[in-house]
Amino acid sequence: VCSSDLTRILERVAAQSGVTAQEVEQEQLRYIWLRKKVEMSEVADAIMFLASAAAASITGQIIGVDGGMHWES
């Protein structure tokens, strides 16, 4: 779980596009159903749950902690 990678990606896309990283981030929110950035603490919460005894019966699943991200074609 590393948010610095996302920050670098946003900055690179912004530099290539001639806009700010904040503008790129706002544009990306169009593709997230909840219209908010997922916080690293939310990802960490999911990891902690999956590592706990409460998730002992969960196997072989992909758990998306992405706010409902979707890509339009």
Side-chain angles (χ1 to χ4, degrees), residues 24-32 35-37:
V24 172
E25 188 173 327
Q26 287 301 311
E27 174 65 19
Q28 295 304 312
L29 290 178
R30 291 188 323 129
Y31 302 105
I32 301 174
R35 300 291 189 257
K36 71 174 204 69
K37 184 172 93 173

Side-chain angles (χ1 to χ4, degrees), residues 4-5 7 10 25 56 61 73:
S4 62
D5 289 340
T7 300
L10 288 174
E25 188 173 327
Q61 300 300 310
S73 49

Side-chain angles (χ1 to χ4, degrees), residues 3-66:
S3 64
S4 62
D5 289 340
L6 179 58
T7 300
R8 280 186 290 225
I9 291 168
L10 288 174
E11 289 169 351
R12 188 174 12 162
V13 170
Q16 292 170 350
S17 303
V19 296
T20 67
Q22 291 78 17
E23 289 172 307
V24 172
E25 188 173 327
Q26 287 301 311
E27 174 65 19
Q28 295 304 312
L29 290 178
R30 291 188 323 129
Y31 302 105
I32 301 174
W33 288 109
L34 295 179
R35 300 291 189 257
K36 71 174 204 69
K37 184 172 93 173
V38 174
E39 299 296 330
M40 287 298 109
S41 63
E42 294 171 303
V43 175
D45 289 344
I47 292 168
M48 293 300 293
F49 168 72
L50 291 170
S52 75
S57 296
I58 298 174
T59 61
Q61 300 300 310
I62 297 171
I63 310 291
V65 183
D66 59 9

